[in-house]
Amino acid sequence: MSSLKDICSGLPLDPLPPNRGRDPSLPHAPIRTPNLTAEEERLALRNALRYFPPSHHATLALEFAQELRQYGHIYMYRFCPTLRMRAYPIDQYPCRTRQAASIMLMIMNNLDPAVAQFPQELVTYGGNGQVFSNWAQFRLVMHYLSEMTEDQTLVMYSGHPMGLFPSLPSSPRAIITNGMVIPNYSSRPQYEKMFALGVSMYGQMTAGSYCYIGPQGIVHGTMLTVLNAGRRYLGSDDLAGRVFVTSGLGGMSGAQAKAAVISGCIGIIAEVDEAPLRKRHEQGWLMEVTSSLEQCIKRIREAKKSKTPLSMGYHGNIVDLWERLVQEHERTGELLVDLGSDQTSLHNPFNGGYYPVQLSFGQANQLMTTDPHRFKTVVQDSLQRHVKAINKLADAGMFFWDYGNAFLLEAQRAGAEVEKMGGGATEFRYPSYVQHIMGDIFSLGFGPFRWVCTSGDPQDLAATDNIAANVLEQISASVNDRIRQQYSDNIRWIKEAGKHKMVVGSQARILYSDQRGRVSIALAINKAVADGRVSAPVVISRDHHDVSGTDSPFRETSNVYDGSAFCADMAVHNFVGDAFRGATWVSLHNGGGVGWGEVINGGFGLLLDGSDEAARRASLMLNWDVSNGVARRCWSGNANAYETIQRTMEENRQLRVTMPFPVQDEHVLERALQG
């Protein structure tokens, strides 16, 4: 068994560690199909070997070539540590600065088998959200971080550590970019080649930025989405007896079952892969599991009648479930579903992100490798059936939304009936959850703020929960009703989070807050670290899926209608602005959520160590991190954002935002264009 000291000592070369290959007890990523030419295979092998002295090339070349041909990528399994990957307490990391130790802790949490979807392939979530491209990169990064001083910055190019470069104590300790490809070359086939060559990487959102906190984050976001969907579509805060049908129990989607129960509704979630289904059931996040459609229908009726919250996992294909619900409606006239969505990984539809109804799980895994073109056709046929069933139920009164996983985008590309007559470039027959549910929340400045207690002590997490609840209660007494509703949802969440046993991996918490709340919580936690009420530093962060962090025309910015939804200035400016306002590390990614080439997004981590400097950084950076996106949304014409940024300017006289003058008389445009 290796130790933290061992994995921070660089690449083990004398002797080489034994090659144990894949661990059969762990889930593994689908085989990739990069379709490399013979010359490209040579290049991939040459690129992988450059991490090692020539004396080892003959040994490593053979196994790397085998990995490339067998799995479609060189993961360097030989260098996967035997030490259990998890977020060890911050003081256990061998390092010269706690800022570096905090990054090490977050990296290891992303690779914890309890957290990561495919830990040996360095995939945290989403089927292909990489932390690094291979295990040599992991070991070099840990080594650099252990030696780093506060006058250096680690530069990361798509998983590859370019090295430590001189900088300032006020600079970020790490600058991360993932998938920064010239736009005209940002296609999926080109990505597969670049990843196989080891020159680019899909970091999803918080996988490649080292900020994932397990499915808790999406539990909270899904809970808020379902609650607000009930308010918008069903006209009620009470979801007792209401049925929510969706799919996916793997990485982030595994949160849906827990969120349904916390929201008080009946959640029926389909999953084709038995491993994540079993995992969620063992965690207690799924109350029941069945492979019988008859049992699904029976339990829906029973739970509706008793108005009892339920989370049931259906081991089978979501298309079969939707079609059975259609049959029940046609047979009995009874609509058994109120709310519907989907969280299959359709950002990655042809390599394990979506399993077509015509094939079993095993058959699909085989066909996507042996005949990718045929598999693509089968997937698109399945999506057409998928949408056809949803359309029938929606016509009968069900409310459906796209969960930002590129479901409607890929369904459109498959020829399914999802067009919106007269709709814009980002509009479909059904709204995205940002357009109808969460977009207004973003425009108020609310988004997923999170923190990690680096001591690993649950008592520290409980203390920070209490701090956050007290802060939000104090602020909510002096805000308008619309904002108070958001505070109330999050106060309820934070007070009940411990009871619902959300922690998977690091001692972390998430809640949605606006600019004032985020700054106030961060300063209060920093003070608690300073006076010893919290025993060790705390890392604050957020999901990239936030007010300012992501430009994504089919998700985060899908409710931007001034023509700028396909522009990425906001996310890039956020990354740069966070860097020089005090972040401990920052990241900028191509891809995340809806897929490669469809989005630019970024994130940050900031260590609160109890110092006055940490408080100054947190205040400066968090204010920018929210105001940037609210200002952009205001300029695009969003009324909520206009009011929010106007109020923020009144509170902070140094903030001056260019405000829009909307056209009040549409006839002015008509006359000008006709003239």
Side-chain angles (χ1 to χ4, degrees), residues 273-590:
D273 186 354
E274 188 177 6
L277 195 78
R278 186 170 60 248
K279 180 178 180 179
R280 300 308 176 198
H281 190 232
E282 290 170 354
Q283 284 176 332
W285 289 30
L286 268 180
M287 296 163 66
E288 299 178 20
V289 173
T290 183
S291 57
S292 166
L293 286 169
E294 293 294 334
Q295 181 68 4
C296 281
I297 300 301
K298 177 174 178 288
R299 290 296 289 125
I300 288 173
R301 287 198 167 102
E302 291 172 350
K304 279 176 67 69
K305 184 176 181 180
S306 65
K307 294 191 174 183
T308 305
L310 171 67
S311 58
M312 169 172 274
Y314 166 59
H315 183 206
N317 197 289
I318 182 61
V319 180
D320 286 327
L321 178 57
W322 283 125
E323 289 179 342
R324 181 54 192 274
L325 289 165
V326 170
Q327 290 172 13
E328 286 297 309
H329 179 256
E330 291 175 344
R331 184 176 67 85
T332 67
E334 183 180 12
L335 182 64
L336 292 176
V337 53
D338 301 285
L339 301 171
S341 192
D342 185 273
Q343 278 198 37
T344 49
S345 295
L346 271 159
H347 67 275
N348 183 33
F350 311 122
N351 197 43
Y354 181 89
Y355 284 83
V357 65
Q358 306 95 313
L359 303 173
S360 69
F361 182 64
Q363 289 171 335
N365 280 328
Q366 183 176 15
L367 186 62
M368 73 177 72
T369 302
T370 58
D371 192 346
H373 295 294
R374 171 63 182 153
F375 183 73
K376 180 178 180 179
T377 300
V378 176
V379 164
Q380 293 185 326
D381 288 346
S382 180
L383 280 168
Q384 291 184 31
R385 279 178 59 180
H386 197 152
V387 168
K388 185 177 181 181
I390 288 169
N391 288 349
K392 287 182 178 180
L393 292 167
D395 289 343
M398 177 191 74
F399 296 93
F400 184 88
W401 67 87
D402 182 293
Y403 214 107
N405 59 332
F407 174 74
L408 293 176
L409 181 62
E410 288 302 328
Q412 180 190 54
R413 290 167 176 168
E417 296 180 8
V418 294
E419 296 290 337
K420 179 180 179 180
M421 296 300 295
T426 63
E427 294 179 288
F428 297 97
R429 176 171 180 165
Y430 304 105
S432 80
Y433 74 121
V434 172
Q435 287 170 323
H436 268 204
I437 303 169
M438 301 302 283
D440 280 348
I441 294 174
F442 284 168
S443 297
L444 293 170
F446 281 83
F449 180 62
R450 56 179 61 165
W451 62 90
V452 175
C453 297
T454 66
S455 64
D457 186 347
Q459 292 185 354
D460 279 347
L461 184 59
T464 57
D465 284 349
N466 289 333
I467 290 168
N470 290 336
V471 166
L472 295 185
E473 285 176 333
Q474 290 171 17
I475 296 175
S476 66
S478 60
V479 296
N480 63 41
D481 290 343
R482 183 169 46 186
I483 295 175
R484 187 175 295 113
Q485 177 69 71
Q486 301 306 321
Y487 273 108
S488 296
D489 286 345
N490 283 281
I491 291 167
R492 168 186 165 190
W493 161 266
I494 203 73
K495 286 185 172 181
E496 296 181 359
K499 177 182 73 177
H500 289 298
K501 299 179 180 178
M502 295 292 172
V503 171
V504 178
S506 59
Q507 293 293 317
R509 186 67 73 225
I510 186 172
L511 57 76
Y512 269 56
S513 184
D514 60 358
Q515 182 171 326
R516 183 179 173 190
R518 297 187 208 201
V519 173
S520 299
I521 290 170
L523 295 180
I525 289 176
N526 191 61
K527 188 174 185 302
V529 173
D531 62 27
R533 285 176 291 137
V534 174
S535 68
V538 172
V539 171
I540 58 170
S541 182
R542 59 161 169 75
D543 196 346
H544 298 200
H545 165 67
D546 195 17
V547 180
S548 310
T550 298
D551 282 298
S552 179
F554 296 102
R555 197 164 83 170
E556 284 81 358
T557 47
S558 60
N559 67 331
V560 169
Y561 301 114
D562 69 344
S564 71
F566 294 89
C567 301
D569 301 83
M570 179 179 72
V572 175
H573 269 282
N574 225 63
F575 163 79
V576 175
D578 284 352
F580 67 73
R581 286 179 174 86
T584 305
W585 72 95
V586 290
S587 66
L588 186 68
H589 300 183
N590 170 12

Side-chain angles (χ1 to χ4, degrees), residues 181-251:
V181 173
I182 304 302
N184 280 352
Y185 304 90
S186 192
S187 69
R188 280 183 186 148
Q190 287 164 320
Y191 163 70
E192 291 294 343
K193 283 186 181 289
M194 285 185 278
F195 182 59
L197 293 174
V199 297
S200 196
M201 189 181 87
Y202 184 70
Q204 263 285 359
M205 289 189 165
T206 52
S209 68
Y210 322 145
C211 292
Y212 192 62
I213 59 168
Q216 176 187 171
I218 195 66
V219 169
H220 183 48
T222 304
M223 181 203 77
L224 290 178
T225 300
V226 173
L227 284 176
N228 284 291
R231 291 168 184 148
R232 180 180 181 112
Y233 299 137
L234 307 177
S236 176
D237 284 318
D238 183 6
L239 294 179
R242 300 290 197 167
V243 179
F244 172 49
V245 172
T246 182
S247 58
L249 286 165

Side-chain angles (χ1 to χ4, degrees), residues 34-88:
N35 297 316
L36 301 183
T37 65
E39 189 53 43
E40 287 168 339
E41 285 187 335
R42 291 174 64 86
L43 182 57
L45 199 55
R46 183 182 294 114
N47 287 347
L49 290 173
R50 59 186 164 176
Y51 286 103
F52 307 94
S55 58
H56 293 299
H57 285 184
T59 299
L60 296 176
L62 288 172
E63 65 192 58
F64 289 173
Q66 183 180 3
E67 285 183 21
L68 181 62
R69 288 175 172 168
Q70 189 170 355
Y71 306 122
H73 187 74
I74 300 171
Y75 296 105
M76 306 186 187
Y77 291 113
R78 177 190 288 270
F79 297 95
C80 179
T82 56
L83 178 70
R84 162 67 196 274
M85 289 286 173
R86 68 179 182 88
Y88 291 89

